[in-house]
Amino acid sequence: MILTESAGLYRYLTTMSNPFTAAWSEQGHLICLGRWEISYQGRPLQIPAPRSEEDMGTYGIYSFLYPDDPEFAEGLEEDDWVLENIDWLSDLFIANDIPIDEQHARWFFQAVNGSDWRCVSCGGCT
């Protein structure tokens, strides 16, 4: 925490970074054979099947041929994704002693969004 003074009032600002890390285990033409490797504060999490072996449905442009074209964007943006996935995410958080709050759900989304993928991500068999 950082203590600052503004107009005679003290306020605390939290400066915590994302406690989740996420990676998809495969790249290139084998991307569809991978699985999620997600950790919370360095502790590996067991993602329930079938989610552990599928894309997370987060928002992005996943086209191999047109990676910068917003016409090829798909998935749910952060607010909608959190609402859509809160049930299984809450179960995961409870099982791993992770606080069940909006900020942790958003951090989870942000971690997986950076490594999310779709079948068209590699330009392979689709």
Side-chain angles (χ1 to χ4, degrees), residues 69-84:
D69 189 340
E71 291 288 322
F72 292 92
E74 61 180 277
L76 297 174
E77 293 194 40
E78 188 170 315
D79 291 341
D80 293 332
W81 189 91
V82 168
L83 289 173
E84 182 76 21

Side-chain angles (χ1 to χ4, degrees), residues 29-59:
H29 293 294
L30 298 176
I31 200 166
C32 58
L33 301 177
R35 61 183 165 68
W36 282 105
E37 297 171 347
I38 302 174
S39 296
Y40 175 73
Q41 295 181 336
R43 292 179 319 191
L45 301 177
Q46 291 292 106
I47 306 301
R51 291 186 193 328
S52 60
E53 298 174 353
E54 298 176 347
D55 69 74
M56 284 285 182
T58 64
Y59 184 79

Side-chain angles (χ1 to χ4, degrees), residues 57-71:
T58 64
Y59 184 79
I61 302 171
Y62 301 101
S63 172
F64 175 77
L65 295 175
Y66 307 103
D68 299 321
D69 189 340
E71 291 288 322

